[in-house]
Amino acid sequence: MAIPLLLAQLLLAVALAAVQAAPGLHPVVLVPGYGTNELDARLTELYQPSSPGCGARKGEGWFRLYLNYSALQDPANVPCFAEQMSSVYDPAADDYSNVAGVETRVPFFGSTQAFRYPDPDRKNFSYMSTFVERLEKMGYRDGETMFGAPYDFRYAVAPVGRPSSIGDAFFRALKGLVERASGLNGGRPVVIATHSFGGQLAHQFLVRQTRAWRQQFVRRFVPIAASWGGVVLGMLTLVSGNNMGLPFVEPRALLRQGRSLQTSLWILPSPAAFGTATPLATTKSRNYSAGDVADYLVAIGFGEAVGPYESRVLPLFGGELPHPGVPVTSVIGVGVGTPERIDYPRDDFDATPSVVAGDGDGVVNLASLVAVQTPWSRHGGDFTLVKVSNMSHNDLLVDDRALDIIVREIQRAD
Ligand SMILES: *[C@@H]1O[C@H](CO)[C@@H](O)[C@H](O)[C@H]1NC(C)=O
Ligand SMILES: *[C@@H]1O[C@H](CO)[C@@H](O)[C@H](O)[C@H]1NC(C)=O
Ligand SMILES: *[C@@H]1O[C@H](CO)[C@@H](O)[C@H](O)[C@H]1NC(C)=O
Ligand SMILES: *[C@@H]1O[C@H](CO)[C@@H](O)[C@H](O)[C@H]1NC(C)=O
């Protein structure tokens, strides 16, 4: 009797191991939000630093440009960071590129290691780690059933047919990653889950694939806190700068850098989400709605952005966004005060404005979060909107109440 019993136990153990190895999870590919993943840089001989200190790493090989939290705590390093994180729009080429002599790369493509912590030496500054750990507790394994799609968040893509070398390369890599994730899991289609800006990007990716490809490889799209129609804050940061959530960095020190990025134009409020009647920014003698963004750019002294805004951004976001062609669950936070109108007291933009708050997740306005609800529900489109009350943009990825909903949607059987 002893031997068969042992054998039975052994077989049971083997069977259990097999169940654990193939837990029936659909692979998940995570696309993080703006400023969430690491970026490496190296400075070549072509780099002309504005001060000798900024050129200290010239010729020294790759280093972590984003994020080195402790380096940015030293105000002397902030101008170097701003210079090296800037990009340049070339109107003749109609494309964006890095500053001359600054080469960049996105490390750990394919792995969630790329964005668990933007600075692995400062683990208490993170947007994604709690969410990734939660997926691991459910049985997801990095590189097996769970994959990360980090990207150079300074760049986006252009409308089809216009140059966008860096964004296009990301889309090719993302396509390969989705196919690999599916292939490693017996051909199961993947769930693409995104946060914030990653949702706008993944949506553009999906609508550029064929219907056959989407049906074969994508099971569900789960955008979390996606800024479909941009954010009113995007108008403010083009005047005041954006410190990327680093409390000790003076936003204005990153103003020029922020203005140089294609992404900064992508997050401007769109007429489709905000309409053309509601003032989003006001001065003493002028109101600017989402339909007046070009005039606003001129008024704030950033007229050179009008060309790329009108040719590369409005064609993508000026009208209703097309359904991405796969089942969608959009998870949003609401009930948190969110900048909805910026009032400049005079006709210039130098004085500190007063900011009127409305509903949203603290960063993304409600109008933007729900902008796709009507068009994507039409004609029986497969679309579910889940609103999490009193939940902020970043808490959606941390709070148990929100994560319970998100993982339920990721695991949902169709
Ligand atoms: C971060 O910056 C500090 C201070 O400049 C430097 O000593 C350190 O080597 C940097 N870390 C990385 C990973 O580059
Ligand atoms: C984060 O960690 C650093 C050291 O790694 C510590 O000095 C700092 O106080 C921590 N911040 C918070 C908010 O816990
Ligand atoms: C701006 O809009 C507000 C309310 O929508 C209106 O009362 C005000 O007259 C407008 N101001 C200008 C200068 O058009
Ligand atoms: C909303 O969330 C905040 C912070 O988590 C909490 O302090 C507050 O009590 C909540 N309010 C409601 C109405 O749930």
Side-chain angles (χ1 to χ4, degrees):
M1 282 306 282
I3 288 166
L5 183 63
L6 257 179
L7 191 62
Q9 279 171 339
L10 190 68
L11 285 174
L12 186 65
V14 169
L16 280 175
V19 167
Q20 273 159 3
L25 297 173
H26 281 266
V28 59
V29 171
L30 304 179
V31 185
Y34 182 85
T36 301
N37 60 257
E38 297 179 37
L39 294 179
D40 288 345
R42 70 178 168 195
L43 309 177
T44 72
E45 283 312 311
L46 285 175
Y47 178 50
Q48 294 184 327
S50 58
S51 71
C54 293
R57 287 180 183 261
K58 213 163 161 173
E60 282 186 6
W62 295 103
F63 64 98
R64 195 193 313 125
L65 174 61
Y66 188 88
L67 177 69
N68 186 334
Y69 192 97
S70 60
L72 287 172
Q73 282 179 307
D74 177 357
N77 285 326
V78 174
C80 305
F81 172 79
E83 185 170 301
Q84 292 159 16
M85 280 289 280
S86 290
S87 67
V88 181
Y89 176 66
D90 176 351
D94 186 21
D95 204 359
Y96 290 79
S97 63
N98 283 352
V99 170
V102 179
E103 294 181 354
T104 47
R105 68 178 183 193
V106 180
F108 310 117
F109 185 82
S111 169
T112 57
Q113 195 183 339
F115 47 72
R116 278 175 188 238
Y117 314 100
D119 179 349
D121 296 324
R122 182 64 66 130
K123 295 197 169 158
N124 54 15
F125 182 79
S126 171
Y127 301 107
M128 294 290 275
S129 59
T130 307
F131 179 34
V132 171
E133 281 158 22
R134 176 69 182 260
L135 290 172
E136 285 175 333
K137 280 195 200 111
M138 289 162 63
Y140 285 98
R141 291 292 169 264
D142 193 58
E144 297 174 17
T145 45
M146 177 173 73
F147 303 84
Y151 54 94
D152 191 330
F153 46 82
R154 301 172 300 153
Y155 299 88
V157 292
V160 173
R162 283 189 175 270
S164 173
S165 54
I166 294 170
D168 289 348
F170 170 62
F171 278 10
R172 284 193 297 275
L174 178 57
K175 186 172 186 180
L177 180 64
V178 168
E179 291 172 2
R180 181 157 69 86
S182 174
L184 286 171
N185 288 275
R188 284 185 177 150
V190 313
V191 175
I192 298 179
T194 64
H195 182 235
S196 190
F197 180 74
Q200 272 176 294
L201 210 49
H203 169 258
Q204 283 298 321
F205 167 75
L206 286 167
V207 297
R208 291 167 195 222
Q209 309 308 317
T210 64
R211 177 194 294 250
W213 188 90
R214 290 189 301 243
Q215 281 180 349
Q216 180 176 354
F217 290 109
V218 183
R219 176 179 172 84
R220 180 170 289 278
F221 176 30
V222 183
I224 303 158
S227 44
W228 304 117
V231 292
V232 173
L233 262 177
M235 295 177 88
L236 180 64
T237 55
L238 287 179
V239 175
S240 311
N242 175 6
N243 68 2
M244 308 184 78
L246 303 167
F248 42 82
V249 174
E250 175 56 44
R252 214 163 265 279
L254 298 182
L255 173 58
R256 264 185 24 162
Q257 182 266 340
R259 282 189 173 192
S260 76
L261 308 182
Q262 188 182 2
T263 321
S264 300
L265 302 182
W266 260 47
I267 61 166
L268 286 167
S270 78
F274 290 88
T276 54
T278 312
L280 305 178
T282 71
T283 62
K284 212 169 145 212
S285 56
R286 177 84 203 258
N287 286 342
Y288 298 91
S289 74
D292 306 318
V293 166
D295 287 354
Y296 178 78
L297 293 171
V298 172
I300 64 171
F302 190 31
E304 72 258 36
V306 172
Y309 172 73
E310 290 186 334
S311 65
R312 297 173 65 95
V313 178
L314 265 187
L316 295 176
F317 300 109
E320 281 177 357
L321 297 182
H323 192 291
V326 298
V328 181
T329 304
S330 175
V331 183
I332 66 174
V334 296
V336 181
T338 307
E340 189 162 272
R341 204 183 68 223
I342 310 153
D343 294 330
Y344 288 92
R346 306 188 302 249
D347 272 330
D348 61 67
F349 296 84
D350 299 333
T352 305
S354 53
V355 176
V356 179
D359 199 357
D361 68 12
V363 175
V364 186
N365 308 89
L366 183 62
S368 180
L369 292 166
V370 302
V372 298
Q373 182 177 18
T374 304
W376 292 7
S377 304
R378 208 176 285 146
H379 313 305
D382 194 329
F383 177 76
T384 309
L385 179 69
V386 184
K387 287 185 188 174
V388 189
S389 61
N390 193 31
M391 191 61 66
S392 75
H393 193 66
N394 292 332
D395 281 346
L396 274 169
L397 294 179
V398 176
D399 189 282
D400 277 334
R401 188 163 57 94
L403 286 178
D404 286 348
I405 294 167
I406 290 166
V407 300
R408 183 192 75 205
E409 292 302 320
I410 287 176
Q411 287 198 308
R412 179 159 139 179
D414 290 312

